[in-house]
Amino acid sequence: MVRNINGVQDYFSPSNITVLKTTDTSVSIKWIQAPTCYERAGIWIILFRPDNSTKIFKVHKEATTFDLTGLSATTSYWFKMTTNYGNDTHYVSSSVPTKFAFVTTEEEVGLSSGGVGGLVAGFLLLLIVVIVVLVFLGRTGRLQPAKQQVTAGIRTIRNTIRERRATPSGINYRAFVSKEYDDIYFYGGMDIKGEKSWILSRKDISLESELTRGRFAIIYLAQYYTHQEAITVVAKALKDEQNDENVLKMRAKINFYAIKVGHHKNILDFIGSVEDDIRGPMMILEYCPNGVLKEFLENARSNISVELVERLFRMAFGICNGMDYLASNKVVHRRLAARNVLLNKLLEPKITGFGPDPEANKDEEERVPIKWMAPECMKSTEHANELSDVWSYGIVMWEIFSLGDTPYPGVQSRDVPGKVRRDYKMKKPEQCDDAFYNIMLKCWHYDPRKRAGFSQMKEEMNKIFTEVPGDSFYYQTNEL
């Protein structure tokens, strides 16, 4: 019997909206979300511009503040807010949205001569302080960690400025995202307010056996004991030689998945995190018993059937759906390959291998997997984006339909950039049809502006597949 209810049994929108700060290009708002008996999936802010065009901001379900950016000076705007109840795939929006209007301020002008003089004097003083601090850190042996954090901050600012300048009109905006979103220090040092719904109790997690070891973590097979059942999961824990830097990396990955990624059927699911007195923070992830996609493909070569080929098409479609979801959340993968896709018990693809990169802040030269990279990223993935991920997706499609062959067969990695510049395209794999090979070719335009985005490819594939009752679908082709 239910003896008390924590909240109201109704779908309420945010209320008591107040403006914290208004500038010529942004406005900061604050609101109150009434307690409810229902699970919230997120908050949507729909901004209405003077020309009646709209822009949707998706906000974390626990947030109570947000900055609306990219606005024009001295302009009247209004927006409405709704709260979604349920989960990321099935939700109900609050029936009565909250509406609010505001006007941005006048465009900021330059400094006066006196202001410039004061700015120069302040800069010189700051420079002296920085020199003193650097000398102190150098003598105490703490210069290198501080240097890494400063470098990460400078890189974030530089990439943001470059991308804003380089964003051409008429191109999918999702493709141009600040690398801040994948930065170790940005997410590792994030101070998250309010309830952290992803935190699990350590007593509910039982480590069973070691599966593998990565660069800084150990992957365990584990059991997660809920109130109803025991679920087989994967626990990602730091190695024994953990230090402050590795703890920061692990917290960055946890915060990134919890705040940025969310849940999607074709993304390896982040279940939560726990704090272990000995191992420190641990990530709890979905367990995929059928392993790595590349290994599955290689093992399937001796058992080709109509059912297998049908499954290959569904795998390619599922990966496209997952990548479209990541791009919609401004997440750039940078390392998409069949080796970074896992298969669950239903052989559904689950994308992994993305997020804050522990090696991204090293001074050493980046190791780039040339055969999977777009031509603009073959030297560095620093400016990778959705459209470079699209190129890699075309390579993954080729891997799928060649049953795990290495791309550009017979070609050395060092020779790939030259062949790509000469417009070389890999031939259609034996198990692929013309429709999907044409999609591959659209991924492999040398000019990224000519490549189709994931949303466009998803719509094109949707027309090929036929849905059946439930969440299943099958491929329509005369070649099967």
Side-chain angles (χ1 to χ4, degrees):
M1 176 183 294
V2 177
R3 300 190 181 278
N4 58 71
I5 297 177
N6 184 19
V8 180
Q9 289 182 291
D10 205 347
Y11 298 130
F12 280 113
S13 297
S15 60
N16 291 52
I17 298 175
T18 56
V19 173
L20 300 177
K21 182 181 178 181
T22 304
T23 70
D24 57 336
T25 60
S26 67
V27 62
S28 299
I29 59 172
K30 180 179 181 181
W31 64 86
I32 295 175
Q33 182 69 56
T36 177
C37 299
Y38 305 110
E39 174 69 18
R40 292 194 294 270
I43 299 170
W44 280 20
I45 302 176
I46 306 175
L47 178 70
F48 291 81
R49 303 184 180 96
D51 61 358
N52 288 326
S53 63
T54 61
K55 182 177 181 180
I56 297 177
F57 297 88
K58 296 182 180 180
V59 185
H60 190 264
K61 63 182 180 180
E62 304 294 343
T64 56
T65 62
F66 192 74
D67 294 340
L68 301 175
T69 58
L71 309 179
S72 300
T74 324
T75 305
S76 297
Y77 294 90
W78 72 278
F79 62 82
K80 60 182 181 181
M81 295 181 68
T82 59
T83 301
N84 297 329
Y85 293 85
N87 53 49
D88 289 334
T89 56
H90 298 89
Y91 57 83
V92 176
S93 297
S94 48
S95 56
V96 181
T98 303
K99 299 178 180 180
F100 193 86
F102 64 92
V103 179
T104 51
T105 62
E106 295 182 357
E107 187 173 1
E108 296 181 1
V109 296
L111 293 172
S112 63
S113 57
V116 172
L119 187 61
V120 172
F123 176 76
L124 292 175
L125 178 60
L126 177 61
L127 183 60
I128 294 171
V129 172
V130 169
I131 292 173
V132 171
V133 171
L134 289 177
V135 171
F136 172 75
L137 291 175
R139 290 181 177 178
T140 57
R142 288 179 282 181
L143 180 59
Q144 188 61 25
K147 177 184 174 183
Q148 291 177 350
Q149 295 192 39
V150 171
T151 301
I154 293 174
R155 185 178 61 250
T156 294
I157 296 172
R158 182 188 64 211
N159 290 339
T160 302
I161 293 173
R162 284 180 178 175
E163 286 158 4
R164 285 178 179 173
R165 289 177 178 173
T167 303
S169 59
I171 296 181
N172 187 343
Y173 179 76
R174 301 188 308 177
F176 296 87
V177 182
S178 169
K179 196 174 179 181
E180 158 189 293
Y181 293 114
D182 292 340
D183 191 84
I184 286 287
Y185 295 103
F186 177 80
Y187 278 97
M190 181 178 286
D191 183 18
I192 302 173
K193 306 295 184 182
E195 180 185 358
K196 300 177 183 178
S197 57
W198 60 89
I199 299 293
L200 307 177
S201 173
R202 178 63 182 88
K203 63 181 178 60
D204 293 336
I205 302 296
S206 174
L207 304 182
E208 293 194 334
S209 60
E210 181 178 322
L211 294 176
T212 186
R213 288 180 175 238
R215 288 177 294 186
F216 79 107
I218 304 175
I219 310 299
Y220 292 95
L221 185 68
Q223 292 293 321
Y224 170 37
Y225 295 96
T226 68
H227 294 299
Q228 293 83 23
E229 59 181 339
I231 303 173
T232 302
V233 296
V234 164
K236 187 172 187 178
L238 293 172
K239 291 182 177 178
D240 295 337
E241 60 271 19
Q242 60 178 278
N243 52 42
D244 291 343
E245 183 80 1
N246 287 340
V247 171
L248 180 73
K249 293 171 184 176
M250 183 63 79
R251 293 201 189 283
K253 287 182 174 291
I254 289 171
N255 290 340
F256 177 81
Y257 269 83
I259 300 299
K260 189 69 181 172
V261 178
H263 303 278
H264 185 274
K265 66 178 294 184
N266 295 117
I267 304 297
L268 186 67
D269 199 34
F270 170 72
I271 297 172
S273 69
V274 299
E275 289 288 337
D276 186 277
D277 293 338
I278 298 176
R279 295 180 177 86
M282 292 194 299
M283 290 181 72
I284 308 301
L285 300 164
E286 174 184 10
Y287 173 58
C288 291
N290 280 304
V292 179
L293 171 61
K294 180 173 176 58
E295 296 174 1
F296 170 85
L297 295 170
E298 292 171 342
N299 295 332
R301 293 173 184 171
S302 59
N303 191 25
I304 300 175
S305 64
V306 173
E307 180 183 2
L308 172 66
V309 176
E310 158 73 14
R311 190 175 298 282
L312 299 182
F313 286 106
R314 280 186 277 148
M315 287 177 174
F317 185 35
I319 295 171
C320 181
N321 282 329
M323 290 303 299
D324 177 60
Y325 172 79
L326 289 181
S328 70
N329 283 306
K330 297 185 178 181
V331 174
V332 182
H333 194 295
R334 294 182 175 86
R335 287 292 190 274
L336 183 62
R339 61 182 171 273
N340 281 328
V341 178
L342 301 176
L343 299 174
N344 67 5
K345 63 182 180 181
L346 300 177
L347 292 174
E348 296 170 330
K350 301 282 185 170
I351 300 169
T352 185
F354 58 91
D357 184 3
E359 300 298 315
N361 299 304
K362 300 280 186 184
D363 293 330
E364 300 131 5
E365 185 177 353
E366 183 180 3
R367 293 174 295 179
V368 177
I370 295 292
K371 290 191 172 185
W372 284 264
M373 283 297 161
E376 66 272 17
C377 293
M378 286 183 175
K379 292 184 178 179
S380 170
T381 63
E382 183 178 3
H383 300 296
N385 52 52
E386 180 189 359
L387 296 181
S388 57
D389 276 350
V390 164
W391 179 288
S392 301
Y393 172 67
I395 301 294
V396 172
M397 290 180 67
W398 188 91
E399 287 185 278
I400 289 174
F401 293 111
S402 66
L403 295 178
D405 279 351
T406 299
Y408 302 98
V411 180
Q412 296 284 340
S413 292
R414 65 175 178 270
D415 298 326
V416 170
K419 293 183 74 69
V420 169
R421 279 194 299 271
R422 294 189 294 272
D423 202 33
Y424 172 81
K425 303 288 191 300
M426 288 187 288
K427 295 180 180 179
K428 183 177 73 173
E430 182 178 354
Q431 307 303 329
C432 187
D433 69 356
D434 289 339
F436 267 61
Y437 184 60
N438 286 334
I439 294 175
M440 278 187 224
L441 295 178
K442 291 179 182 179
C443 297
W444 294 337
H445 281 293
Y446 191 86
D447 184 348
R449 294 172 297 181
K450 295 181 180 180
R451 295 175 204 153
F454 284 113
S455 59
Q456 181 180 340
M457 288 190 290
K458 175 183 172 182
E459 291 304 315
E460 186 171 346
M461 292 184 188
N462 262 326
K463 297 175 183 177
I464 301 175
F465 283 87
T466 298
E467 294 185 6
V468 295
D471 295 328
S472 302
F473 45 84
Y474 64 89
Y475 186 60
Q476 289 184 316
T477 175
N478 295 326
E479 299 184 21
L480 295 182

